């Protein structure tokens, strides 16, 4: 029983990591209708930036904050100079962000090489907790806590703040919000930077869990897209539920059916799409 509980907690920890990156992806998609296929490379870049700062003998926490800030700034620059001209042009968005993902991935290879690296677990979270006869890492519980805090923050921003009301109104009727004197373009820039920051956050927190290697951007992008599709386009609540489901299913699948774990996840996604094409919490398109 303790082993099953440990596997369940591991699945939830990975699910929270998937939620952090999928939340940024679905917010950008839901608010701005931008398909950002470079989101996975921002995840990877955040991890490598933190790796550099830690090697320069900065603490894990300072490196985390610096990486989040730099990825947010990069997201702001990308939105202002590259994404904004292709608003409303889905094919151009896909081609542009797909190309960006290759450019950033090649830059990572050029700067950091192709060797696999791992971010060190911070000393404060390096221990384990006993769950029956199983030791469970404290760091994974920390990732779960951060994921839950992020979910609360998104709920609070959405329902309790003026900026959340502006974003919700902008999604439904951008022209009306603009007519009320709100700079919707600036709001959208901030949303894109926030989504990029979440990619950076998840990249750094994922470094001690999954390591850092070339190709991780594509793997995490595919997983996050599955989470978004299951949860519903534009719904962070759906991403939260979908991410936990994917994390738990994938973890138990690797234990019981190692060669079929991802196939099971894809089958779950297909079932959701057949029964509810808009996803679990997505709005039905009329």
């Amino acid at each position: 029983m303790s082993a099953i509980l440990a596997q369940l907690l591991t699945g939830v920890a990975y699910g929270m990591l998937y939620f952090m990156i999928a939340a940024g992806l679905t917010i950008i998609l839901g608010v701005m209708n931008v398909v950002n296929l470079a989101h996975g490379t921002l995840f990877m870049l955040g991890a490598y930036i933190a790796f550099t700062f830690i090697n320069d003998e900065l603490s894990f926490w300072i490196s985390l904050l610096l990486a989040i800030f730099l990825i947010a700034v990069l997201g702001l620059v990308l939105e202002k100079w590259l994404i904004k001209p292709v608003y409303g042009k889905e094919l151009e968005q896909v081609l542009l962000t797909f190309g960006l993902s290759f450019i950033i991935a090649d830059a990572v290879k050029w700067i950091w090489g192709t060797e696999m690296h791992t971010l060190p677990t911070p000393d404060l979270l390096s221990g384990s907790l006993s769950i029956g006869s199983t030791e469970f890492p404290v760091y994974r519980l920390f990732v779960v806590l951060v994921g839950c805090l992020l979910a609360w923050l998104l709920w609070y921003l959405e329902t309790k703040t003026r900026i959340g009301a502006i974003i919700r109104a902008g999604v439904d009727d951008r022209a009306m919000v603009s007519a009320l004197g709100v700079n919707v373009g600036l709001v959208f820039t901030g949303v894109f930077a926030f989504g990029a920051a979440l990619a950076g956050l998840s990249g750094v927190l994922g470094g001690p869990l999954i390591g850092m290697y070339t190709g991780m951007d594509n793997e995490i992008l595919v997983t996050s897209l599955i989470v978004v599709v299951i949860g519903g386009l534009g719904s962070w609540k759906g991403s939260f539920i979908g991410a936990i489901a994917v994390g738990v299913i994938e973890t138990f699948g690797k234990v019981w059916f190692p060669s079929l774990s991802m196939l099971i996840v894809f089958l779950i996604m297909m079932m959701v799409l057949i029964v509810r094409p808009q996803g679990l919490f997505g709005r039905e398109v009329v």
Side-chain angles (χ1 to χ4, degrees):
M1 183 63 69
S2 59
I4 293 178
L5 179 59
Q7 290 294 332
L8 179 61
L9 289 175
T10 298
V12 173
Y14 279 98
M16 288 296 99
L17 184 64
Y18 297 153
F19 166 64
M20 291 177 213
I21 184 171
L25 185 64
T26 197
I27 288 171
I28 291 172
L29 181 60
V31 173
M32 306 168 64
N33 290 320
V34 171
V35 182
N36 181 21
L37 296 184
H39 203 68
T41 53
L42 297 179
F43 170 91
M44 178 174 66
L45 187 59
Y48 275 95
I49 288 175
F51 176 75
T52 299
F53 286 131
I54 290 173
N55 281 348
D56 289 338
E57 298 185 354
L58 292 179
S59 71
F60 178 89
W61 306 109
I62 294 177
S63 301
L64 171 65
L65 294 176
L66 288 174
I68 293 173
F69 173 75
L70 291 175
I71 295 298
V73 171
L74 177 59
L76 188 149
V77 171
L78 292 177
E79 191 277 339
K80 186 174 182 61
W81 298 105
L82 295 176
I83 303 298
K84 187 171 290 185
V86 295
Y87 279 160
K89 303 175 182 178
E90 289 80 4
L91 179 59
E92 287 83 349
Q93 291 170 9
V94 170
L95 294 176
L96 175 62
T97 56
F98 190 59
L100 277 174
S101 68
F102 278 102
I103 293 172
I104 297 174
D106 284 345
V108 168
K109 293 179 185 178
W110 178 60
I111 296 172
W112 288 282
T114 58
E115 299 84 5
M116 184 172 181
H117 303 284
T118 303
L119 285 179
T121 302
D123 294 337
L124 182 65
L125 305 172
S126 59
S128 299
L129 292 178
S130 296
I131 302 177
S133 59
T134 304
E135 296 292 323
F136 192 80
V138 173
Y139 182 78
R140 294 184 181 180
L141 293 176
F142 170 73
V143 172
V144 174
L145 176 62
V146 172
C148 292
L149 288 176
L150 175 61
W152 176 85
L153 175 63
L154 292 175
W155 168 82
Y156 184 82
L157 290 175
E158 180 184 21
T159 61
K160 303 295 183 179
T161 65
R162 181 172 181 269
I163 187 65
I166 292 174
I167 291 173
R168 294 198 311 273
V171 172
D172 293 329
D173 194 337
R174 179 174 180 176
M176 179 62 71
V177 175
S178 298
L180 294 175
V182 176
N183 189 338
V184 178
L186 182 61
V187 172
F188 278 19
T189 299
V191 169
F192 195 93
F194 179 68
L198 292 182
L201 169 68
S202 57
V204 179
L205 295 183
L209 281 179
I210 63 177
M212 301 149 50
Y213 53 90
T214 57
M216 66 183 294
D217 54 329
N218 293 326
E219 293 179 9
I220 199 69
L221 177 64
V222 170
T223 303
S224 59
L225 286 173
I226 292 173
V227 169
V228 169
V229 170
I230 292 176
L233 302 181
S235 170
W236 68 263
K237 298 174 185 176
S239 292
F240 183 78
I241 301 299
I244 293 176
V246 169
V248 171
I249 292 170
E250 186 180 33
T251 299
F252 278 100
K254 288 179 179 178
V255 174
W256 295 337
F257 310 102
S259 60
L260 300 176
S261 58
M262 282 307 297
L263 175 61
I264 296 173
V265 172
F266 276 104
L267 289 175
I268 296 296
M269 181 185 71
M270 290 174 57
M271 291 172 60
V272 170
L273 289 176
I274 291 172
V275 176
R276 189 174 171 82
Q278 68 269 30
L280 297 177
F281 290 88
R283 293 185 299 178
E284 187 173 359
V285 179
V286 181

